[in-house]
Amino acid sequence: MVPADDERAPGAAAAVNPLSADLRSAVFRAKLHPAVSPSYLLPRPRLHALLEVAVAAPLTLVVAPAGSGKTSLLRSWSAETALPVAWLSLDADDRDPVQLWRGVLAALEGVAPGSAASAVDGLQRPGQLLEAVGALLDDLGAREYDAKVLVIDDLHLVDEVDVVGSSLSLFVQHLPTWLHVVIASRRSPRLPVDRLRAGGHLGEVHFPELRFSHDEATAMLARLAPTLRPDVAAEVAARAGGWAASIQLAALAARSSEAQGERYLPRRFDERLHLEDYVWHEVLANEPEDMVDVLIATTVVQHIEPDLARILAGRVDAADLLTLAEQRGLFVSRTEPSGFEMHALVREVLLGVLAERSPDRLRQLHAWAAGWREAHGQTVSALEHWLRADRPRETLRLLAAQAPALYDGGHESTILRTVTALPDAVVADGIDAMLEYAWCHLLVDRRRFVALVEGLRRLVRDDLDVDPVLGARLEVLESIAATLQGHWVDGASLARSALESLGDSWWLDPLGQFAWNMIARDIALSERWDDSSHEVREVVRALSVVPERRLAFEGSRSLAEALAGRPADALRLVAGARQVEAHASMTVLRNEALTAEAVARRELGDVATAMPLLLEVCEGSVEPASHCQLLALLELTEARLAAGDLEAAERSFGRATEMVDTEMPGPGARTWLGRCGVSLSLAAGDVEGARAWSGQVVDTFWTGAVAARLHLATGDAGLAAVELKTVEPRCPRHRVVAALLQSRASVAPREAQEHLLEAAGVAASHGLVQTVAADGPEILDRIERLAGRVPQHWLDRLRRAGQPPAAHAETSGLVEELTERELEVLRMLPSRLTLREIADELFISINTLKFHLKVIYRKLGCTSRAEAAEVARALTSLRRRGQPSSTRRR
């Protein structure tokens, strides 16, 4: 039985799940219920019994050609079975994997209320689809239910998309014991069928089982065409070959002939009979012309809403005619709560007829459908229709307008698919088309975006006739491209130039709205953020005009406070940004807030929390936020360096270096890289290497600070003091670094102590711990002597942050030396936790855990978890002294 939306005792109050309601409103309700079975449907108890046995397996496949009766079987079985059934009908829009999984979540809410909560956020994050499916499986696995069934109909429409196939494969291979999935498809789906079959986890129903027997076929014909002579019915049944569609089509043709007073004589046909001729000449030939025209006009859409049918057919009575077609059995079914669907086989036939006989009309119908879908906020479907209408310019216009919303909603695959489908000629439509084309690439391929912007810049560089507004829009794109390449200052300069050209109407321009965000990002990344400064107040005031851009600004603002040395303020802003992101699904905001939290946590000495956050950002792929990934790699390098793991630090620094060399050669990014390179080289005792890296640092503060560090490393305090006179601190962090260096460079003890007290005072007032601890044990010893003159709570945190890294656990020569993180993973392998649970325990992603396992297996000479677990049990010294065992899930 298909569960009702609200099954409760009479008179009980409805408990509305907001998440469930939101999910179901985002999915056509008709897709969550099977269509109503027609009155002529023949009961087939043998198939119901077969299916009842098959669904005992975790996965059941009903695979057969079009028109074989797959959906009819599942529809009638779901109405009669005692098992609760969730239903999802797929269509072409579900080729977008996020759209597909939203449908799955909405369907599951009917049998497992609340199960979507664990996965819905992940669907909105680019690259997190498999993680979201894993979270859903974890939630479902934690529930204890009697057997329930999820039916997914028409999988063949979507499973050619790789991401769809991989995500469904993950899902069906790890189903909880109570959930059984039934999939209907015209072809064998791209799932690990052989493996599931070999393991006894697969039930199957194919065309031989679905094929109508002779008795069933004649009984069906008797229902559809009761006046058909028995001998004719027997001949038709024999020639139909058990194919349900042939039986139904023959019955309709017989009714049509008899309505004309003619005797029906079935034509001899074989399997290669053109169904098009059969439908067109024998089924529809004698139907009312206006009804046939409505059927043809509505074939361009799979889900036919009444209002859309009126537009496509150009008739106010289109819905009435579709109702009549449904009553006459012309392969039209009514869907809930309103609307219609046409049998896919007949729809394909009519589309083919339309394409052959009236291609111009077909394109126009797609254009009308696109306009209607766009007006109703159905962007994914509208884009597909614009493409089919051969209107690439309209496709590009809509994609450019909706790309940020699609990206933040997790629909990056739709953006990629649409951009790829656009013909090259679309950019020949003028500068505005080129701008939109480049803009669409920003969110899915930043390298291509940068190349397109550079090509545009060269094209219009000497063109004096370029419209000023288009020129300003190009400057906004150049600003974004500059920031992506590590040119923070140039990015802000270009943004200000664009704003000047746009004037007071900048906030009305779809690209102009981003200019102030680029200015804010420069202030943040250049470490000069101060809420009281004129430039920050100017940005805040301007962005208050555009609420969406003001929300996005909170990510840059939290990152700015973290980099400037105000970690507590950064975490407060991160908390607010998370609330915004949860409601607005803004991916770049989330990534900047995540990076800000990692930097702030590490600065406060909370390395255990910071490390998994840094790893998550490093492994992410948010195309417009390359600065976050680079910063996370450099922070990770510094953290590993502080932990004494020079080898791991060099690995993450190598990734950062490659990123700067290939994508971000600008002075802002190179200054970040150079500063980290100096620290890494000095830690390795390579002063010459540090000096080479210092040459990449171009900054009014850090150039002098890095030079001073080098002089102190070579014992030349005098030159260090000279360099420090040139530095220009812009934030609390700079003031602390400068005072610490001045303390080390001062010859007079009293002066050195004054500078040290200044550094400690500023650091304590802003919660800066790691910045001080990173200056080395000598500074920490000197601060200990001032214990009575600095806040005790800050000093305690500084002591913890300044503790020397724990020595690697003794492994008695049994294994190659493991890193601290690898030891943590190894300790958990003997437990009964799944890999996903271990990843949660360690606050890392499942992919990061798998990477660690590969390294551990190599170092131990093992080939499996079981072997590694035995080694872990033998090495009892691996557990840190005094460390409690933890089984808490995140």
Side-chain angles (χ1 to χ4, degrees), residues 810-829:
E810 181 61 41
T811 57
S812 306
L814 293 179
V815 296
E816 181 181 343
E817 185 178 22
L818 302 178
T819 67
E820 199 64 24
R821 173 60 85 183
E822 290 162 359
L823 290 173
E824 290 176 345
V825 172
L826 183 59
R827 291 186 195 101
M828 304 195 75
L829 293 185

Side-chain angles (χ1 to χ4, degrees), residues 622-890:
V622 180
E623 293 293 324
S626 55
H627 59 286
C628 291
Q629 190 173 23
L630 176 61
L631 180 58
L633 284 168
L634 297 175
E635 284 284 324
L636 191 61
T637 300
E638 296 280 5
R640 287 169 169 171
L641 199 57
D645 193 345
L646 185 61
E647 181 182 351
E650 288 175 343
R651 286 200 302 271
S652 51
F653 184 71
R655 286 182 60 190
T657 303
E658 181 181 5
M659 189 173 180
V660 170
D661 287 344
T662 59
E663 296 186 55
M664 305 180 72
R670 286 214 170 271
T671 292
W672 282 3
L673 186 71
R675 285 160 44 194
C676 189
V678 168
S679 298
L680 193 61
S681 296
L682 289 179
D686 182 6
V687 176
E688 288 306 312
R691 187 169 286 114
W693 281 114
S694 70
Q696 299 203 26
V697 180
V698 182
D699 183 86
T700 56
F701 173 76
W702 288 108
T703 297
V706 165
R709 285 191 65 191
L710 283 171
H711 289 311
L712 290 170
T714 57
D716 198 335
L719 285 178
V722 172
E723 289 288 354
L724 289 171
K725 292 179 181 179
T726 67
V727 300
E728 300 176 10
R730 301 185 294 272
C731 61
R733 185 182 179 204
H734 291 181
R735 289 166 56 198
V736 171
V737 170
L740 289 173
L741 291 172
Q742 287 167 341
S743 175
R744 292 171 58 191
S746 297
V747 177
R750 185 181 182 85
E751 182 183 357
Q753 181 174 308
E754 289 176 353
H755 285 306
L756 190 59
L757 280 172
E758 177 190 357
V762 175
S765 64
H766 291 89
L768 295 173
V769 173
Q770 190 59 46
T771 295
V772 178
D775 218 57
E778 180 185 346
I779 284 291
L780 298 181
D781 289 342
R782 291 169 59 189
I783 290 178
E784 285 286 358
R785 300 190 195 107
L786 303 174
R789 304 174 67 179
V790 297
Q792 188 62 42
H793 69 279
W794 176 79
L795 184 58
D796 289 342
R797 284 163 54 193
L798 182 64
R799 286 166 177 159
R800 289 194 295 270
Q803 288 177 352
H808 290 298
E810 181 61 41
T811 57
S812 306
L814 293 179
V815 296
E816 181 181 343
E817 185 178 22
L818 302 178
T819 67
E820 199 64 24
R821 173 60 85 183
E822 290 162 359
L823 290 173
E824 290 176 345
V825 172
L826 183 59
R827 291 186 195 101
M828 304 195 75
L829 293 185
S831 72
R832 296 176 64 86
L833 296 177
T834 66
L835 292 184
R836 186 172 300 284
E837 289 171 333
I838 292 175
D840 286 349
E841 277 288 320
L842 299 177
F843 297 96
I844 59 178
S845 72
I846 187 69
N847 290 331
T848 301
L849 176 62
K850 290 178 179 178
F851 172 81
H852 285 311
L853 287 175
K854 285 184 180 179
V855 176
I856 290 170
Y857 292 170
R858 177 179 59 78
K859 289 183 176 181
L860 297 181
C862 297
T863 60
S864 69
R865 175 180 176 177
E867 293 179 14
E870 287 300 317
V871 175
R873 293 188 186 97
L875 300 176
T876 56
S877 63
L878 287 178
R879 183 172 297 281
R880 293 175 183 165
R881 190 167 301 170
Q883 179 183 7
S885 172
S886 172
T887 57
R888 291 182 295 111
R889 292 289 303 275
R890 178 169 54 175

Side-chain angles (χ1 to χ4, degrees), residues 430 493 572 707 709:
S493 176
R572 175 177 53 80
R709 285 191 65 191

Side-chain angles (χ1 to χ4, degrees), residues 273-284:
L273 175 70
H274 292 294
L275 187 60
E276 175 185 319
D277 291 338
Y278 199 73
V279 171
W280 191 251
H281 296 297
E282 298 199 37
V283 176
L284 299 179

Side-chain angles (χ1 to χ4, degrees), residues 228-249:
L228 196 63
R229 285 173 26 209
D231 59 329
V232 175
E235 182 180 356
V236 170
R239 295 193 177 279
W243 185 37
S246 292
I247 296 168
Q248 190 171 359
L249 288 170

Side-chain angles (χ1 to χ4, degrees), residues 408-448:
D408 287 330
H411 295 283
E412 66 268 35
S413 63
T414 292
I415 301 175
L416 272 172
R417 187 174 68 248
T418 307
V419 165
T420 303
L422 288 170
D424 294 338
V426 73
V427 297
D429 200 35
I431 298 297
D432 54 343
M434 297 179 190
L435 290 170
E436 291 175 352
Y437 188 69
W439 171 248
C440 292
H441 282 80
L442 167 63
L443 302 170
V444 293
D445 188 346
R446 63 176 177 248
R447 293 189 182 188
R448 176 69 170 147

Side-chain angles (χ1 to χ4, degrees), residues 540-552:
V540 173
R541 184 170 57 251
L543 287 176
S544 63
V545 179
V546 188
E548 185 176 350
R549 302 318 313 153
R550 176 67 175 81
L551 293 176

